[in-house]
Amino acid sequence: AASAQYGAVELMLYRCVFIVLAVALYARAAGLVLRTRLWGAHFARSAAGVSSLLLFLYCLAHAPLSTAVTLNYTSPLFLALITGLILRERVSPLALAAILVGFSGVVVLLQPGGADTPLLAGLSGLAGGAVSALAYLGIRRLAAAGEPATLADALAASRGRERAAGRGPDRLVVGEPGEWRVRAGRGGA
């Protein structure tokens, strides 16, 4: 496994270098200027993303793969809780039931007191999901503030449906600011 050979921070460095290069090449090809006046918001979103990834990598190194990935996918549950409890957005009874069922599944997965997953690994996986939800909330706030193209938009625009539609690099569409919800639901494609 890569985690046995390389540290989490080193793995993140390689991942981020590749992403920065890909976004820079895309921005250049598309004629985009990557500037912002919201450095603090971008920093907070990035810090949440990096923290979430570090927590996931720790969980991945100390828990079964299926458990680590499942716990990483709890971010939509945490995002729904955050928007309902902290932001006071309306959460329908059906959505609340889905959240409860989702967290019940997490309890079944972790089997407190009898699972193969060490407590710290399980907690880091859950914390990674929660912090990832904060990163998604940061993207939402950046879109609401009128940021024209986020890193996720730039990457998503370079693949998926644009290529399927037969558009070349000179005709890629970045997308609408609120489209992140759709992309997040489809895994960024």
Side-chain angles (χ1 to χ4, degrees), residues 12-76:
M12 287 181 47
L13 171 71
Y14 297 138
R15 178 182 184 267
C16 292
V17 165
F18 174 77
I19 290 171
V20 167
L21 289 174
V23 169
L25 289 172
Y26 169 75
R28 184 174 172 92
L32 292 176
V33 177
L34 300 177
R35 281 191 208 139
T36 185
R37 52 191 199 333
L38 302 172
W39 285 102
H42 280 283
F43 180 79
R45 194 221 50 88
S46 295
V50 167
S51 299
S52 172
L53 186 56
L54 280 172
L55 289 163
F56 170 68
L57 290 173
Y58 179 85
C59 183
L60 190 60
H62 296 90
L65 175 64
S66 58
T67 300
V69 171
T70 301
L71 292 175
N72 191 48
Y73 286 148
T74 60
S75 59

Side-chain angles (χ1 to χ4, degrees), residues 73-82 95 98-104 106 133:
Y73 286 148
T74 60
S75 59
L77 300 174
F78 284 109
L79 185 59
L81 281 178
I82 290 168
I99 293 167
L100 292 173
V101 168
F103 279 119
S104 298
V106 169

